[in-house]
Amino acid sequence: MRSPPRPPSARAPASLMQLRMPPMKSAMNKRKLKESTGESAECISQVQKILRERFCHCRAAGKLFGMKQQYSHLLELLRRTTVHGESNSALIIGPRGSGKSALLNHVLKDLREMNQVRENLLEVHLNGLLQTNDKVALKEITRQLQLENVVGDKVFGSFAENLAFLLEALRRGNRSSSCPVLFVLDEFDLFVHHKNQTLLYNLFDISQSAQTPVTVIGLTCRQDILELLEKRVKSRFSHRQIYLMNSFDFKEYMKIFKKQLSLPAEFPDEAFAQKWNNNAQHLSEDKTVQDVLQKLFQHSKDLRSLHLLLMLAVSAVSVHHPLLTAADLQEAHRQQSSDSRANIVHGLSVLEICLIIAMKHLNEVYDGEPFNFQMVYNEFQKFIQRKAHSMYNFEKPIVMKAFEHLLQLELVQPLERPSARAQREFLLMKLLLDSSQIMEALQLYPNCPTDVKQWAASSLSWL
């Protein structure tokens, strides 16, 4: 006998519960996922901000490597200016990427955090690449000191009078209560080429006088910088020189890598910072990463190269890819070491590729001697006749147009500036690509015809 069926009312609650429960769980899961995604997105944004600031603005993380003595010297020099009102001048000398700007920024940061240092240190930052003459430099000094309204329409007889007026406007009573001014001259060697070195003379002259406390710090990569100074300028310079050299070994280089990639202790999300820093530790122990950094270290000890590598790698970090991997660093190194000229070849037409191959063969046959368009055209014609290909049989004006395009792309360079009367076909040129670059570019060229590749690979030209 069958058991009597349950009334519908008894089954309804169970079925309703079964229908309702999954949506509730789904909604909760989505909410949790949304919250975690929001948190990680905020963390990723903070990571990108902190590391980009560090890599792009020479803001070193932690202590500086191999600069303890230089750091102490510069810190004491600037402390005496800000605390005691002493005037000084010094040069920071070292190769590009040795940490000159990082050292100065680190010292200024620590200087501002000292209790006995007044907060009214005025900084004027000039760059020889931007302030190309004394007039532009003086205008920038006025702007950074915020004295445009004080100067107004006043007319000064000389540069020295104008600069003296600016510093006089900053004075407050005696020397000890006057506002100290720090002048930072980046690319210092370019200021040497200003007319009569007037800017340098006046800045060094003021730094020796007992008026406004002024310190001048120059940053340069020229070892012979003192020999470029005029006698009157050199006599007013204090001859303090701080030398920086990339003297660290690969073991210290790996420590720098880990430190530069690590997040600070004050990062908002402590758990994420711990996870990120643990990942940085694992990366520094990874054999693949060490191989990448070894190649970079052997090529250049320049820390800016390391910063660029890390910048490219960090740009791959996202919400869905929150931690760096060895593959990210490999890809960043590949992008960093890619040949820009060879990359241009990937976008050329087959005709332009053929002309480059013709030039390559001419370089091999004539041992790197210059060539002209007519020689390249003749070489190209021999290839067409040998292969009997009608698809490559272009008229001479079209081939000339392709050749001129290579000239515009700076893959080919004329030996001298062409005159109006010179015939274009007979101007002497040289190819700016070597054989290895051409062959490597052809391997990556999309759908390159087989016979063109074979022609490029052949060691002798058909002469």
Side-chain angles (χ1 to χ4, degrees):
M1 293 180 63
R2 291 184 184 176
S3 60
R6 293 182 181 181
S9 59
R11 292 197 302 267
S15 62
L16 283 172
M17 288 294 289
Q18 289 171 0
L19 289 171
R20 287 175 184 170
M21 282 300 291
M24 287 176 66
K25 286 183 180 178
S26 177
M28 288 174 66
N29 291 339
K30 284 182 179 177
R31 197 179 300 117
K32 285 181 181 178
L33 182 64
K34 189 175 181 182
E35 287 174 4
S36 64
T37 304
E39 288 173 7
S40 79
E42 190 175 342
C43 288
I44 297 299
S45 177
Q46 285 288 331
V47 168
Q48 297 273 11
K49 181 182 177 184
I50 290 169
L51 295 184
R52 282 178 180 172
E53 201 170 68
R54 186 182 295 169
F55 301 149
C56 297
H57 300 292
C58 302
R59 297 183 182 177
K63 294 182 179 179
L64 297 170
F65 284 86
M67 302 182 190
K68 188 176 180 181
Q69 186 178 352
Q70 294 91 333
Y71 169 82
S72 302
H73 187 180
L74 186 60
L75 182 64
E76 180 60 24
L77 191 74
L78 295 182
R79 195 186 67 79
R80 289 204 301 266
T81 300
T82 54
V83 176
H84 304 296
E86 290 184 14
S87 293
N88 288 299
S89 57
L91 286 174
I92 303 175
I93 303 171
R96 296 198 182 278
S98 57
K100 298 184 293 295
S101 298
L103 172 65
L104 181 62
N105 290 339
H106 209 75
V107 167
L108 289 175
K109 176 177 173 290
D110 291 349
L111 197 65
R112 297 184 194 106
E113 293 173 357
M114 290 182 178
N115 294 328
Q116 72 267 35
V117 174
R118 295 194 303 270
E119 297 179 356
N120 60 352
L121 172 67
L122 293 175
E123 298 176 25
V124 177
H125 293 263
L126 303 177
N127 191 304
L129 294 169
L130 300 176
Q131 283 75 50
T132 53
N133 58 54
D134 289 347
K135 185 178 179 181
V136 176
L138 192 60
K139 190 174 180 180
E140 182 62 17
I141 293 170
T142 308
R143 186 190 69 81
Q144 291 191 32
L145 294 177
Q146 299 179 1
L147 293 174
E148 295 98 332
N149 295 334
V150 178
V151 174
D153 297 326
K154 290 183 174 63
V155 178
F156 299 96
S158 66
F159 178 90
E161 289 177 14
N162 199 338
L163 186 60
F165 176 82
L166 291 176
L167 296 176
E168 184 69 26
L170 298 172
R171 291 188 66 185
R172 292 187 313 204
N174 58 21
R175 177 180 173 82
S176 61
S177 64
S178 292
C179 192
V181 185
L182 170 65
F183 286 91
V184 178
L185 306 182
D186 208 350
E187 303 290 346
F188 181 85
D189 48 289
L190 298 181
F191 288 99
V192 170
H193 301 297
H194 289 198
K195 187 178 179 182
N196 299 327
Q197 299 182 3
T198 307
L199 173 67
L200 298 181
Y201 172 78
N202 284 282
L203 287 178
F204 287 149
D205 189 51
I206 291 169
S207 70
Q208 282 199 337
S209 65
Q211 300 172 3
T212 308
V214 168
T215 290
V216 182
I217 303 292
L219 287 78
T220 180
C221 57
R222 291 287 297 264
Q223 300 285 336
D224 60 342
I225 187 64
L226 290 182
E227 297 175 16
L228 303 177
L229 297 176
E230 291 181 4
K231 190 175 181 180
R232 63 179 189 137
V233 178
K234 193 185 294 186
S235 65
R236 282 160 176 78
F237 174 53
S238 67
H239 288 265
R240 287 188 179 90
Q241 299 167 66
I242 300 172
Y243 286 93
L244 294 180
M245 295 293 172
N246 291 331
S247 55
F248 46 79
D249 57 15
F250 184 67
K251 190 176 180 181
E252 287 179 323
Y253 189 75
M254 289 301 299
K255 289 181 182 177
I256 295 171
F257 161 78
K258 188 175 71 173
K259 193 66 182 175
Q260 291 298 297
L261 201 54
S262 299
L263 293 176
E266 60 271 15
F267 190 78
D269 191 327
E270 190 176 337
F272 184 86
Q274 183 66 34
K275 191 187 296 184
W276 178 275
N277 291 342
N278 288 340
N279 185 61
Q281 175 66 34
H282 293 322
L283 285 174
S284 67
E285 296 167 358
D286 188 282
K287 183 67 170 64
T288 307
V289 174
Q290 289 178 0
D291 289 343
V292 168
L293 294 176
Q294 184 75 51
K295 288 178 186 175
L296 190 64
F297 181 76
Q298 288 173 350
H299 181 263
S300 171
K301 288 186 178 181
D302 186 339
L303 289 183
R304 289 184 303 182
S305 300
L306 177 62
H307 286 164
L308 177 57
L309 176 79
L310 295 177
M311 188 72 185
L312 290 169
V314 168
S315 64
V317 173
S318 66
V319 174
H320 303 293
H321 182 63
L323 296 175
L324 282 178
T325 63
D328 293 331
L329 288 162
Q330 280 184 314
E331 176 61 21
H333 184 257
R334 189 193 64 77
Q335 292 178 21
Q336 188 179 4
S337 58
S338 63
D339 192 329
S340 57
R341 282 206 177 98
N343 288 339
I344 294 174
V345 175
H346 302 159
L348 298 179
S349 66
V350 175
L351 172 58
E352 289 163 342
I353 290 285
C354 288
L355 295 182
I356 286 178
I357 295 171
M359 295 179 227
K360 169 184 174 290
H361 285 309
L362 288 172
N363 275 342
E364 290 172 356
V365 172
Y366 294 109
D367 198 21
E369 289 295 315
F371 51 82
N372 57 38
F373 168 74
Q374 189 61 46
M375 294 167 67
V376 175
Y377 182 73
N378 293 341
E379 187 72 10
F380 178 52
Q381 288 298 311
K382 289 173 186 174
F383 166 66
I384 295 172
Q385 291 167 9
R386 179 186 171 98
K387 291 295 179 181
H389 270 305
S390 58
M391 62 178 289
Y392 301 129
N393 197 9
F394 297 97
E395 295 180 3
K396 192 172 182 178
I398 296 174
V399 180
M400 184 66 181
K401 193 72 177 175
F403 187 81
E404 288 176 345
H405 185 229
L406 296 176
L407 198 59
Q408 289 173 356
L409 293 173
E410 296 184 359
L411 298 176
V412 184
Q413 185 181 32
L415 292 186
E416 55 186 19
R417 183 176 294 180
S419 61
R421 295 180 180 179
Q423 290 183 294
R424 295 181 302 171
E425 291 90 338
F426 301 103
L427 287 173
L428 291 177
M429 306 277 181
K430 66 176 179 179
L431 181 63
L432 300 181
L433 293 166
D434 59 34
S435 296
S436 61
Q437 287 176 306
I438 295 168
M439 297 310 297
E440 186 180 339
L442 283 177
Q443 294 301 319
L444 301 172
Y445 187 85
N447 303 321
C448 184
T450 306
D451 49 2
V452 172
K453 281 187 178 181
Q454 290 173 349
W455 181 36
S458 61
S459 58
L460 293 175
S461 179
W462 298 296
L463 285 175

